[in-house]
Amino acid sequence: VQLQASGGGLVQPGGSLRLSCEASGRFVRATLKAWYRQAPGKERELVAEITSGGGTNYGVAVMGRATIARDSATNRLYLQMNSLEPDDTAVYYCNAEIRTRWGRDVENYWGKGTLVTVSS
């Protein structure tokens, strides 16, 4: 099972990015549920998540500038980020709960991350 994040890159302050994450491999059910980020020298922090009830939560630092969305039919998770700031520079990771076989427990998976650099 792999979680592949993409869409990162160099963006000017004030710009926008759309990150994508896709689950692939052998599994019976995947719930892609959250984006986290980790900036150099800082701890990993929540950017956005979709709750088990279908609601959304956003980190304080990105509230109003980020939108998380999920396409369960294709096992993809998206993060739209607008009005990007230099402090948004980080590696962005997607997070999922995946059941690889019926009868096995759900496991927590992390993607390898995609680097977002906000700089002029």
Side-chain angles (χ1 to χ4, degrees):
V1 177
Q2 285 190 331
L3 288 179
Q4 183 64 52
S6 60
L10 176 63
V11 186
Q12 290 191 342
S16 298
L17 270 182
R18 188 185 191 221
L19 305 182
S20 301
C21 179
E22 181 180 7
S24 62
R26 297 185 67 176
F27 53 86
V28 296
R29 180 169 291 173
T31 303
L32 283 69
K33 63 177 189 174
W35 288 94
Y36 286 75
R37 69 185 183 185
Q38 188 165 18
K42 295 186 177 180
E43 293 187 354
R44 190 171 294 191
E45 65 174 359
L46 175 71
V47 178
E49 68 176 346
I50 299 176
T51 67
S52 59
T56 54
N57 291 320
Y58 294 92
V60 172
V62 303
M63 204 165 292
R65 302 187 295 118
T67 303
I68 188 171
R70 179 170 61 202
D71 184 341
S72 298
T74 59
N75 295 310
R76 286 187 169 92
L77 189 71
Y78 302 98
L79 180 70
Q80 177 70 38
M81 290 280 295
N82 301 321
S83 301
L84 285 161
E85 306 165 354
D87 284 348
D88 294 317
T89 296
V91 177
Y92 285 69
Y93 300 91
C94 59
N95 177 248
E97 292 180 343
I98 296 176
R99 190 186 304 275
T100 55
R101 292 184 182 179
W102 294 118
R104 292 194 66 169
D105 289 341
V106 169
E107 296 175 80
N108 195 44
Y109 281 82
W110 292 93
K112 289 185 178 180
T114 185
L115 176 63
V116 173
T117 303
V118 183
S119 175
S120 55

